[in-house]
Amino acid sequence: MDGKELQNFIQELQQARKKAGLDLTPEMKAFVDQYGKATDGKIGIVELAQILPTEENFLLFFRCQQLKSSEDFMQTWRKYDSDHSGFIDSEELKSFLKDLLQKANKQIEDSKLTEYTEIMLRMFDANNDGKLELTELARLLPVQENFLIKFQGVKMCAKEFNKAFEMYDQDGNGYIDENELDALLKDLCEKNKKELDINNLATYKKSIMALSDGGKLYRAELALILCAEEN
């Protein structure tokens, strides 16, 4: 891990520890002091793993060795969120992680897979209901691949989202195809230049279309990306 990727990881590490009310360990402080501002800094995965506690080690394992494509991640999510609820439960989560590892040609023992599943729930299941949502699981992705971070700032309320969906579903067939999504994303990029980069439009589109059903992106799937939760 080196350069910007290393700096991004350090920034997330500091934010996560602060949010959890935890101080950095002496080893972690030394790591931050040494690499935090060095754009040309490099550190090996094994070396870094010795510094981090179990939870951070788990994220590092997936980000640096397993997950390279947000498209693979979204395709795997769609497979397990079969009822389009926007959540997967603990058993589905275990199968979800197993699939991601298999995509990376990584075989793993069932006991270790169970451990990873429990860690995921401890880290992200804030209300202890045994379920995780898409944006929570997406934290497994490397920062540069996690396009969902960008879309957090452009989510719409349900009323606004439904209006937009109907506008871009030009033929009124109940789903958005790739061309209609392209038009929607272009407009979003133009309206939200601080959050979204139009040069990444093809990547955004490819990742979102991974949620589609044979090229048909239904309202519930697009809502996972663009519709904010309402309390």
Side-chain angles (χ1 to χ4, degrees):
M1 181 183 284
D2 57 17
K4 189 65 176 177
E5 184 181 20
L6 180 56
Q7 287 189 304
N8 285 334
F9 182 82
I10 290 172
Q11 185 179 12
E12 282 200 71
L13 172 64
Q14 291 174 304
Q15 291 174 349
R17 301 288 289 184
K18 183 177 180 181
K19 185 177 180 180
L22 300 172
D23 293 327
L24 297 177
T25 65
E27 293 82 3
M28 292 164 72
K29 285 180 181 178
F31 161 65
V32 170
D33 290 342
Q34 182 174 354
Y35 296 101
K37 296 180 180 179
T39 56
D40 59 349
K42 295 182 180 181
I43 188 170
I45 298 301
V46 174
E47 183 183 359
L48 182 54
Q50 292 174 348
I51 298 170
L52 302 174
T54 302
E55 284 79 3
E56 282 86 355
N57 246 319
F58 173 74
L59 287 179
L60 182 69
F61 172 75
F62 272 88
R63 286 180 179 175
C64 298
Q65 297 185 39
Q66 312 308 323
L67 299 181
K68 300 300 180 185
S69 166
S70 59
E71 184 182 2
D72 276 351
F73 176 87
M74 300 293 271
Q75 287 174 342
T76 307
W77 169 271
R78 185 183 178 281
K79 177 179 177 180
Y80 288 102
D81 182 26
S82 56
D83 60 357
H84 313 294
S85 65
F87 297 89
I88 57 176
D89 62 29
S90 58
E91 282 303 310
E92 291 169 331
L93 174 60
K94 185 175 180 179
S95 297
F96 176 91
L97 295 176
K98 183 177 181 180
D99 257 18
L100 287 179
L101 289 164
Q102 287 178 340
K103 285 179 183 291
N105 297 316
K106 182 74 174 180
Q107 298 301 317
I108 191 167
E109 294 180 1
D110 191 68
S111 59
K112 182 60 69 173
L113 190 61
T114 298
E115 179 186 347
Y116 286 158
T117 303
E118 291 172 352
I119 289 173
M120 282 295 297
L121 289 171
R122 285 206 305 271
M123 292 177 72
F124 302 138
D125 185 17
N127 61 0
N128 296 312
D129 65 352
K131 298 178 182 179
L132 293 179
E133 61 178 276
L134 177 64
T135 51
E136 292 171 331
L137 268 182
R139 287 178 59 189
L140 285 173
L141 287 165
V143 173
Q144 68 271 21
E145 273 289 340
N146 192 350
F147 78 100
L148 290 169
I149 293 174
K150 299 290 186 182
F151 281 84
Q152 289 299 304
V154 303
K155 284 193 171 186
M156 316 170 198
C157 68
K159 183 178 180 180
E160 186 180 2
F161 168 78
N162 287 327
K163 184 178 179 180
F165 186 91
E166 289 159 11
M167 180 190 308
Y168 290 95
D169 177 19
Q170 296 173 357
D171 48 15
N173 55 12
Y175 61 83
I176 285 179
D177 63 26
E178 190 168 348
N179 291 329
E180 291 167 337
L181 178 62
D182 187 76
L184 187 159
L185 291 176
K186 281 180 180 176
D187 286 349
L188 277 179
C189 287
E190 285 298 321
K191 293 176 183 176
N192 302 276
K193 292 182 179 179
K194 288 184 178 180
E195 289 86 3
L196 303 178
D197 183 353
I198 198 165
N199 294 318
N200 292 328
L201 190 146
T203 300
Y204 299 153
K205 183 170 66 174
K206 192 174 183 181
S207 297
I208 294 172
M209 285 304 294
L211 291 172
S212 70
D213 181 4
K216 299 176 181 180
L217 187 65
Y218 290 97
R219 191 184 302 252
E221 280 69 46
L222 188 59
L224 293 174
I225 312 297
L226 293 179
C227 187
E229 290 184 29
E230 295 186 346
N231 298 322

